[in-house]
């Protein structure tokens, strides 16, 4: 059946005396059911707009603000759960009530996972539906006031989603997660020294890894996300032997995860080829036994790198904590280094310090031949950056030509 969005023909006109209770988008592929619910909600004072399939409802929800969306789950082209996910991409607040005539544990779990407010089993008594819709509208008003208050305090828009919306987006990110790999090259030898694994996902609002990890922090799911990344990398290493070393970023909280230290974990089998990057941006002091945990990682065969040197506040204290085998210089020190005598001096002293300590040094974010040549002039050799290759599916080709 083709979908049409119509104001319910059976809803009583607004008589001007009764305050409107709220605007409901009602979605059901069975027209007779949609009209019956629309009639009873209309009689209770709600303005009801009907859609008879999910994609039409998704388009309507983009064009207009509703106070609540009530949708059937099982519909031919786009299910109610897919509709919920589509709406959450642009509206984190609107409450969702899902209805089904064939309840399953799987659909109930997914409804909760994606942030539905209620899961109703048909047939639904009209007074029960009215009650649920009335509460949902009230909740939406509270959420809107909360959001407006937060906006007044100028918090970043992307932090504002309610927990349900954030959970739905995070679940979408985890479901679509994949790993990109960017080469780290030795310029003097024109060979690939190693690859860095960088997390990617298809959830539009959490595309950048820092946003994804910020969401995981808010949801208390950093360790789960880190484990997923490590398991995926291990799977790739099982299937396609890595030509060189493999660098993986660790969030500071991952250091506190016992599964990282588990010799039977999938990545531990590859430990002798893996370098774990610990960023200088996060204070390691927050992990009480970080030094001891790093020692245990080494005992498993891992090597340790300090990431983003020069970007954090830790100065060189991370050297003492971690005694890294590798240091990665942050791209803020590399950008425009060919035109900055100050950056050249800084890098020259980092290179000579690392050489004295027997630490390998990698320059991140090299974009131009001039930046590469400036690095080589101060004694560097290992390079990572768009000049050579962007992060891609495993073991992409590298352009040494320029
Ligand atoms: P990072 O570890 O310092 O990674 C380098 C970042 O620079 C990556 O951004 C990479 O795509 C980007 N990049 C590489 N070459 C160039 C270049 O020539 N120019 C510019 N402008 N950028 C370049 P990405 O992938 O967006 O990751 C950002 C940060 O998110 C990473 O910084 C890392 O701290 C974190 N991250 C990424 N993946 C993971 C992960 O799997 N686990 C953890 N814990 N953190 C991750
Ligand atoms: Mg890194
Ligand atoms: Mg870095």
């Amino acid at each position: 059946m083709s979908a049409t969005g119509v104001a319910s023909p059976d809803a009583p006109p607004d008589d001007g005396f009764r305050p409107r209770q709220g605007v409901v988008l009602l979605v059901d592929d069975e027209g007779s059911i949609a009209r019956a619910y629309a009639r009873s909600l209309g009689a209770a004072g709600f303005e009801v707009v009907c859609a008879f399939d999910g994609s039409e409802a998704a388009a309507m929800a983009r064009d207009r603000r509703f106070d609540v969306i009530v949708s059937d789950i099982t519909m031919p082209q786009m299910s109610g759960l897919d509709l919920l996910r589509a709406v959450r991409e642009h509206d984190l607040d609107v409450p969702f009530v899902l209805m089904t005539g064939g309840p399953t544990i799987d659909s109930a779990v997914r409804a909760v996972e994606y942030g539905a407010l209620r899961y109703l089993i048909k047939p639904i008594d009209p007074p029960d539906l009215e009650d649920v819709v009335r509460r949902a509208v009230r909740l939406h008003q509270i959420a809107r006031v909360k959001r407006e208050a937060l906006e007044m305090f100028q918090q970043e828009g992307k932090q504002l989603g309610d927990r349900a919306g954030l959970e739905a987006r995070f679940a979408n990110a985890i479901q679509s997660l994949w790993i990109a790999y960017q080469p780290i090259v030795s310029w003097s030898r024109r060979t690939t020294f190693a690859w860095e694994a960088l997390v990617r996902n298809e959830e539009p609002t959490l595309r950048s890894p820092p946003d994804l990890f910020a969401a995981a922090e808010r949801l208390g799911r950093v360790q789960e996300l880190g484990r997923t990344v490590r398991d995926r990398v291990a799977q790739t290493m099982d299937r396609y032997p890595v030509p060189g070393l493999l660098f993986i970023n660790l969030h500071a909280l991952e250091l506190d995860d016992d599964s990282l230290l588990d010799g039977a974990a999938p990545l531990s089998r590859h430990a002798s080829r893996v370098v774990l990057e610990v960023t200088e941006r996060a204070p390691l002091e927050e992990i009480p036994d970080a030094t001891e945990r790093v020692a245990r990682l080494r005992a498993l065969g891992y090597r340790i790198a300090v990431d983003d040197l020069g970007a954090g506040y830790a100065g060189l204290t991370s050297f003492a904590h971690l005694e890294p085998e590798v240091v990665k210089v942050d791209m803020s020190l590399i950008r425009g280094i060919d035109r900055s005598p100050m950056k050249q001096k800084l890098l020259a002293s980092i290179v000579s310090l690392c050489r004295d300590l027997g630490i390998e040094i990698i320059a991140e974010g090299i974009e131009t031949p001039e930046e590469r040549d400036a690095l080589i002039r101060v004694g560097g050799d290992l390079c990572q950056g768009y000049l050579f290759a962007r992060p891609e599916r495993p073991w992409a080709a590298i352009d040494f030509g320029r």
Side-chain angles (χ1 to χ4, degrees):
M1 184 190 307
S2 85
T4 0
V6 286
S8 162
D10 304 307
D14 194 338
D15 57 16
F17 295 107
R18 183 172 42 203
R20 220 183 54 199
Q21 302 271 16
V23 188
V24 183
L25 175 59
L26 188 71
V27 194
D28 201 310
D29 60 316
E30 286 184 61
S32 58
I33 295 185
R35 274 187 283 275
Y37 289 143
R39 197 177 309 124
S40 73
L41 289 171
F46 296 97
E47 180 183 336
V48 186
V49 175
C50 290
F52 302 109
D53 93 19
S55 41
E56 187 69 18
M60 290 162 103
R62 253 194 310 276
D63 290 347
R64 179 170 176 188
R65 282 182 87 146
F66 292 95
D67 292 302
V68 54
I69 298 176
V70 179
S71 174
D72 188 23
I73 292 186
T74 315
M75 296 186 287
Q77 276 107 31
M78 184 187 222
S79 76
L81 286 163
D82 292 336
L83 171 63
L84 169 51
R85 285 173 55 184
V87 170
R88 281 288 177 260
E89 285 179 14
H90 59 89
D91 188 333
L92 301 172
D93 291 334
V94 63
F96 236 90
V97 175
L98 287 168
M99 311 180 288
T100 181
T104 63
I105 291 186
D106 182 51
S107 65
V109 167
R110 289 178 63 205
V112 172
E113 210 173 44
Y114 296 152
L117 179 69
R118 291 294 300 272
Y119 179 86
L120 301 176
I121 295 166
K122 291 181 187 171
I124 305 159
D125 281 343
D128 291 344
L129 184 63
E130 283 162 37
D131 190 44
V132 167
V133 167
R134 190 167 291 113
R135 284 166 194 241
V137 169
R138 180 86 191 103
L139 268 179
H140 192 208
Q141 286 162 348
I142 293 168
R144 200 182 288 162
V145 169
K146 188 181 80 181
R147 178 181 292 275
E148 282 165 5
L150 285 171
E151 276 164 2
M152 267 172 47
F153 287 108
Q154 296 183 327
Q155 300 225 2
E156 269 183 67
K158 61 188 172 195
Q159 291 180 357
L160 294 181
D162 57 32
R163 191 178 167 97
L166 186 62
E167 275 174 2
R169 291 184 291 123
F170 188 74
N172 192 25
I174 292 280
Q175 201 185 27
S176 60
L177 186 141
W178 61 282
I179 309 290
Y181 295 87
Q182 187 181 30
I184 299 167
V185 305
S186 158
W187 179 245
S188 63
R189 278 170 269 154
R190 306 293 195 274
T191 53
T192 305
F193 166 74
W195 301 78
E196 179 174 6
L198 294 158
V199 70
R200 297 289 179 264
N201 78 89
E202 306 305 327
E203 161 57 43
T205 59
L206 298 177
R207 278 252 158 81
S208 100
D211 286 351
L212 180 64
F213 272 90
E217 280 173 15
R218 279 186 67 201
L219 296 170
R221 294 173 70 178
V222 167
Q223 297 191 345
E224 175 194 338
L225 174 59
R227 263 195 308 278
T228 307
V229 169
R230 296 197 303 273
D231 290 353
R232 286 294 172 82
V233 172
Q235 268 173 23
T236 299
M237 292 179 85
D238 288 341
R239 267 195 271 155
Y240 314 103
V242 51
L245 295 173
L246 202 296
F247 283 62
I248 303 184
N249 295 281
L250 282 189
H251 186 286
L253 290 180
E254 283 178 75
L255 266 183
D256 212 16
D257 180 358
D258 288 337
S259 81
L260 177 67
L261 296 166
D262 179 357
L267 190 66
S268 300
R269 285 199 301 276
H270 300 284
S272 64
R273 314 213 72 175
V274 173
V275 183
L276 298 171
E277 298 187 11
V278 181
T279 178
E280 234 223 350
R281 290 174 202 268
L284 269 184
E285 291 78 40
E286 280 170 22
I287 310 297
D289 46 359
T291 312
E292 189 241 315
R293 286 183 164 257
V294 167
R296 286 170 61 194
L297 287 171
R298 281 216 170 79
L300 288 173
Y302 290 109
R303 275 164 270 187
I304 305 293
V306 166
D307 197 4
D308 307 322
L309 184 81
Y313 301 102
L316 295 179
T317 54
S318 52
F319 276 53
H321 266 297
L322 297 170
E323 300 184 10
E325 282 85 5
V326 184
V327 155
K328 301 185 79 179
V329 178
D330 191 68
M331 68 180 81
S332 56
L333 269 181
I334 303 299
R335 188 65 57 254
I337 187 170
D338 47 304
R339 287 171 278 114
S340 165
M342 176 67 90
K343 286 184 176 176
Q344 289 163 23
K345 282 203 179 105
L346 268 171
L347 201 62
S349 56
I350 295 172
V351 167
S352 90
L353 172 70
C354 287
R355 192 157 292 149
D356 288 350
L357 294 169
I359 297 173
E360 294 276 13
I361 179 162
I362 297 169
E364 288 187 321
I366 296 196
E367 291 185 355
T368 66
E370 292 77 21
E371 287 169 347
R372 176 199 62 206
D373 293 343
L375 169 81
I376 306 303
R377 275 198 300 277
V378 298
D381 179 43
L382 297 175
C383 312
Q384 180 176 0
Y386 295 166
L387 176 65
F388 302 95
R390 290 186 175 250
E392 302 243 9
R393 305 270 168 187
W395 332 146
I398 299 144
D399 181 4
F400 287 107
R402 283 169 290 176

